[in-house]
mmCIF file of all heavy atoms in Angstrom:
data_model
loop_
_atom_site.group_PDB
_atom_site.id
_atom_site.type_symbol
_atom_site.label_atom_id
_atom_site.label_comp_id
_atom_site.label_asym_id
_atom_site.label_seq_id
_atom_site.Cartn_x
_atom_site.Cartn_y
_atom_site.Cartn_z
ATOM 1 N N LEU A 197 45.774 74.369 38.705
ATOM 2 C CA LEU A 197 45.602 74.065 37.277
ATOM 3 C C LEU A 197 45.433 75.347 36.424
ATOM 4 O O LEU A 197 45.728 75.335 35.234
ATOM 5 C CB LEU A 197 44.382 73.140 37.063
ATOM 6 C CG LEU A 197 44.500 71.718 37.593
ATOM 7 C CD1 LEU A 197 43.181 70.983 37.443
ATOM 8 C CD2 LEU A 197 45.592 70.968 36.891
ATOM 9 N N LEU A 198 44.967 76.413 37.067
ATOM 10 C CA LEU A 198 44.773 77.674 36.369
ATOM 11 C C LEU A 198 46.009 78.596 36.492
ATOM 12 O O LEU A 198 45.915 79.760 36.118
ATOM 13 C CB LEU A 198 43.561 78.405 36.942
ATOM 14 C CG LEU A 198 42.203 77.702 36.745
ATOM 15 C CD1 LEU A 198 41.128 78.374 37.595
ATOM 16 C CD2 LEU A 198 41.794 77.691 35.268
ATOM 17 N N ALA A 199 47.111 78.065 36.987
ATOM 18 C CA ALA A 199 48.300 78.907 37.238
ATOM 19 C C ALA A 199 48.818 79.600 35.988
ATOM 20 O O ALA A 199 49.314 80.728 36.069
ATOM 21 C CB ALA A 199 49.392 78.042 37.866
ATOM 22 N N ASN A 200 48.726 78.948 34.838
ATOM 23 C CA ASN A 200 49.268 79.541 33.590
ATOM 24 C C ASN A 200 48.189 80.271 32.800
ATOM 25 O O ASN A 200 48.449 80.652 31.635
ATOM 26 C CB ASN A 200 49.841 78.424 32.737
ATOM 27 C CG ASN A 200 51.035 77.728 33.401
ATOM 28 O OD1 ASN A 200 51.781 78.372 34.137
ATOM 29 N ND2 ASN A 200 51.172 76.425 33.157
ATOM 30 N N THR A 201 47.044 80.522 33.377
ATOM 31 C CA THR A 201 45.970 81.238 32.702
ATOM 32 C C THR A 201 45.808 82.613 33.325
ATOM 33 O O THR A 201 45.738 82.748 34.538
ATOM 34 C CB THR A 201 44.634 80.478 32.804
ATOM 35 O OG1 THR A 201 44.830 79.145 32.359
ATOM 36 C CG2 THR A 201 43.569 81.129 31.983
ATOM 37 N N ASP A 202 45.771 83.634 32.481
ATOM 38 C CA ASP A 202 45.589 84.997 33.033
ATOM 39 C C ASP A 202 44.894 85.852 31.970
ATOM 40 O O ASP A 202 44.508 85.383 30.882
ATOM 41 C CB ASP A 202 46.942 85.626 33.411
ATOM 42 C CG ASP A 202 47.974 85.517 32.269
ATOM 43 O OD1 ASP A 202 47.555 85.323 31.104
ATOM 44 O OD2 ASP A 202 49.171 85.650 32.550
ATOM 45 N N GLY A 203 44.741 87.132 32.292
ATOM 46 C CA GLY A 203 44.168 88.079 31.362
ATOM 47 C C GLY A 203 42.687 87.814 31.035
ATOM 48 O O GLY A 203 41.908 87.397 31.914
ATOM 49 N N GLU A 204 42.326 88.051 29.771
ATOM 50 C CA GLU A 204 40.936 87.903 29.344
ATOM 51 C C GLU A 204 40.465 86.470 29.451
ATOM 52 O O GLU A 204 39.265 86.211 29.706
ATOM 53 C CB GLU A 204 40.765 88.419 27.931
ATOM 54 C CG GLU A 204 41.053 89.920 27.770
ATOM 55 C CD GLU A 204 40.830 90.380 26.339
ATOM 56 O OE1 GLU A 204 40.510 89.529 25.476
ATOM 57 O OE2 GLU A 204 40.982 91.580 26.094
ATOM 58 N N ALA A 205 41.391 85.520 29.231
ATOM 59 C CA ALA A 205 40.975 84.085 29.302
ATOM 60 C C ALA A 205 40.520 83.755 30.700
ATOM 61 O O ALA A 205 39.544 82.979 30.890
ATOM 62 C CB ALA A 205 42.142 83.211 28.901
ATOM 63 N N LEU A 206 41.153 84.326 31.707
ATOM 64 C CA LEU A 206 40.767 84.059 33.089
ATOM 65 C C LEU A 206 39.385 84.620 33.375
ATOM 66 O O LEU A 206 38.572 84.001 34.074
ATOM 67 C CB LEU A 206 41.816 84.655 34.043
ATOM 68 C CG LEU A 206 41.849 84.129 35.463
ATOM 69 C CD1 LEU A 206 42.155 82.633 35.486
ATOM 70 C CD2 LEU A 206 42.882 84.874 36.289
ATOM 71 N N GLU A 207 39.104 85.798 32.855
ATOM 72 C CA GLU A 207 37.780 86.404 33.063
ATOM 73 C C GLU A 207 36.692 85.591 32.351
ATOM 74 O O GLU A 207 35.579 85.421 32.905
ATOM 75 C CB GLU A 207 37.773 87.827 32.504
ATOM 76 C CG GLU A 207 38.774 88.784 33.172
ATOM 77 C CD GLU A 207 38.437 88.993 34.616
ATOM 78 O OE1 GLU A 207 37.228 89.019 34.969
ATOM 79 O OE2 GLU A 207 39.394 89.160 35.425
ATOM 80 N N GLU A 208 37.003 85.051 31.165
ATOM 81 C CA GLU A 208 36.026 84.259 30.450
ATOM 82 C C GLU A 208 35.762 82.948 31.187
ATOM 83 O O GLU A 208 34.619 82.485 31.271
ATOM 84 C CB GLU A 208 36.529 83.982 29.046
ATOM 85 C CG GLU A 208 35.544 83.205 28.203
ATOM 86 C CD GLU A 208 36.021 83.004 26.780
ATOM 87 O OE1 GLU A 208 37.033 83.612 26.412
ATOM 88 O OE2 GLU A 208 35.362 82.219 26.037
ATOM 89 N N LEU A 209 36.792 82.349 31.733
ATOM 90 C CA LEU A 209 36.620 81.119 32.522
ATOM 91 C C LEU A 209 35.787 81.339 33.752
ATOM 92 O O LEU A 209 34.999 80.523 34.162
ATOM 93 C CB LEU A 209 37.985 80.542 32.882
ATOM 94 C CG LEU A 209 38.813 79.907 31.748
ATOM 95 C CD1 LEU A 209 40.175 79.487 32.294
ATOM 96 C CD2 LEU A 209 38.072 78.729 31.177
ATOM 97 N N ARG A 210 35.937 82.526 34.379
ATOM 98 C CA ARG A 210 35.163 82.853 35.552
ATOM 99 C C ARG A 210 33.667 82.902 35.201
ATOM 100 O O ARG A 210 32.810 82.353 35.937
ATOM 101 C CB ARG A 210 35.605 84.184 36.111
ATOM 102 C CG ARG A 210 34.821 84.618 37.360
ATOM 103 C CD ARG A 210 35.078 86.072 37.701
ATOM 104 N NE ARG A 210 34.612 86.935 36.584
ATOM 105 C CZ ARG A 210 34.829 88.252 36.530
ATOM 106 N NH1 ARG A 210 35.502 88.843 37.497
ATOM 107 N NH2 ARG A 210 34.396 88.946 35.518
ATOM 108 N N ASP A 211 33.333 83.549 34.055
ATOM 109 C CA ASP A 211 31.944 83.624 33.649
ATOM 110 C C ASP A 211 31.362 82.249 33.336
ATOM 111 O O ASP A 211 30.234 81.953 33.675
ATOM 112 C CB ASP A 211 31.801 84.534 32.422
ATOM 113 C CG ASP A 211 32.197 85.959 32.727
ATOM 114 O OD1 ASP A 211 32.161 86.369 33.890
ATOM 115 O OD2 ASP A 211 32.592 86.715 31.791
ATOM 116 N N GLN A 212 32.193 81.389 32.702
ATOM 117 C CA GLN A 212 31.721 80.044 32.394
ATOM 118 C C GLN A 212 31.497 79.227 33.662
ATOM 119 O O GLN A 212 30.509 78.475 33.757
ATOM 120 C CB GLN A 212 32.739 79.360 31.488
ATOM 121 C CG GLN A 212 32.861 79.970 30.110
ATOM 122 C CD GLN A 212 33.955 79.306 29.266
ATOM 123 O OE1 GLN A 212 34.554 78.326 29.696
ATOM 124 N NE2 GLN A 212 34.208 79.831 28.095
ATOM 125 N N ALA A 213 32.413 79.370 34.613
ATOM 126 C CA ALA A 213 32.272 78.614 35.866
ATOM 127 C C ALA A 213 31.034 79.077 36.646
ATOM 128 O O ALA A 213 30.307 78.271 37.237
ATOM 129 C CB ALA A 213 33.520 78.788 36.709
ATOM 130 N N LEU A 214 30.796 80.373 36.638
ATOM 131 C CA LEU A 214 29.605 80.903 37.328
ATOM 132 C C LEU A 214 28.316 80.413 36.685
ATOM 133 O O LEU A 214 27.366 80.056 37.367
ATOM 134 C CB LEU A 214 29.654 82.433 37.328
ATOM 135 C CG LEU A 214 28.505 83.146 38.045
ATOM 136 C CD1 LEU A 214 28.444 82.745 39.509
ATOM 137 C CD2 LEU A 214 28.655 84.662 37.933
ATOM 138 N N LYS A 311 44.992 90.419 42.037
ATOM 139 C CA LYS A 311 43.735 90.322 41.254
ATOM 140 C C LYS A 311 43.599 88.965 40.559
ATOM 141 O O LYS A 311 42.565 88.336 40.641
ATOM 142 C CB LYS A 311 43.677 91.457 40.229
ATOM 143 C CG LYS A 311 42.390 91.434 39.415
ATOM 144 C CD LYS A 311 42.328 92.583 38.437
ATOM 145 C CE LYS A 311 41.038 92.505 37.625
ATOM 146 N NZ LYS A 311 40.928 93.622 36.645
ATOM 147 N N GLU A 312 44.684 88.578 39.864
ATOM 148 C CA GLU A 312 44.598 87.303 39.099
ATOM 149 C C GLU A 312 44.558 86.120 40.041
ATOM 150 O O GLU A 312 43.835 85.152 39.786
ATOM 151 C CB GLU A 312 45.760 87.220 38.144
ATOM 152 C CG GLU A 312 45.694 88.211 37.001
ATOM 153 C CD GLU A 312 46.804 88.005 35.990
ATOM 154 O OE1 GLU A 312 47.755 87.266 36.305
ATOM 155 O OE2 GLU A 312 46.737 88.590 34.895
ATOM 156 N N THR A 315 41.094 85.863 41.319
ATOM 157 C CA THR A 315 40.190 85.324 40.312
ATOM 158 C C THR A 315 40.357 83.813 40.213
ATOM 159 O O THR A 315 39.369 83.062 40.081
ATOM 160 C CB THR A 315 40.427 85.992 38.955
ATOM 161 O OG1 THR A 315 40.301 87.414 39.094
ATOM 162 C CG2 THR A 315 39.434 85.483 37.928
ATOM 163 N N ARG A 316 41.596 83.336 40.248
ATOM 164 C CA ARG A 316 41.836 81.909 40.155
ATOM 165 C C ARG A 316 41.223 81.190 41.365
ATOM 166 O O ARG A 316 40.601 80.114 41.231
ATOM 167 C CB ARG A 316 43.325 81.619 40.130
ATOM 168 C CG ARG A 316 44.034 82.081 38.857
ATOM 169 C CD ARG A 316 45.453 81.518 38.789
ATOM 170 N NE ARG A 316 46.156 82.109 37.678
ATOM 171 C CZ ARG A 316 46.969 83.186 37.777
ATOM 172 N NH1 ARG A 316 47.193 83.726 38.949
ATOM 173 N NH2 ARG A 316 47.585 83.680 36.712
ATOM 174 N N ILE A 319 37.446 81.118 40.768
ATOM 175 C CA ILE A 319 37.065 80.119 39.786
ATOM 176 C C ILE A 319 37.147 78.699 40.358
ATOM 177 O O ILE A 319 36.287 77.860 40.143
ATOM 178 C CB ILE A 319 37.942 80.251 38.508
ATOM 179 C CG1 ILE A 319 37.714 81.583 37.813
ATOM 180 C CG2 ILE A 319 37.671 79.087 37.534
ATOM 181 C CD1 ILE A 319 38.594 81.835 36.633
ATOM 182 N N LEU A 323 34.167 75.998 40.654
ATOM 183 C CA LEU A 323 34.235 74.626 40.093
ATOM 184 C C LEU A 323 33.985 73.582 41.159
ATOM 185 O O LEU A 323 33.312 72.554 40.910
ATOM 186 C CB LEU A 323 35.604 74.440 39.439
ATOM 187 C CG LEU A 323 35.887 75.280 38.206
ATOM 188 C CD1 LEU A 323 37.303 75.066 37.725
ATOM 189 C CD2 LEU A 323 34.895 74.971 37.085
#
Side-chain angles (χ1 to χ4, degrees):
L197 292 174
L198 297 169
N200 297 326
T201 307
D202 52 19
E204 296 181 358
L206 199 61
E207 300 295 326
E208 183 176 350
L209 288 175
R210 180 193 62 187
D211 296 337
Q212 293 176 5
L214 181 59
K311 181 178 179 180
E312 291 185 348
T315 304
R316 292 190 189 96
I319 295 176
L323 294 175

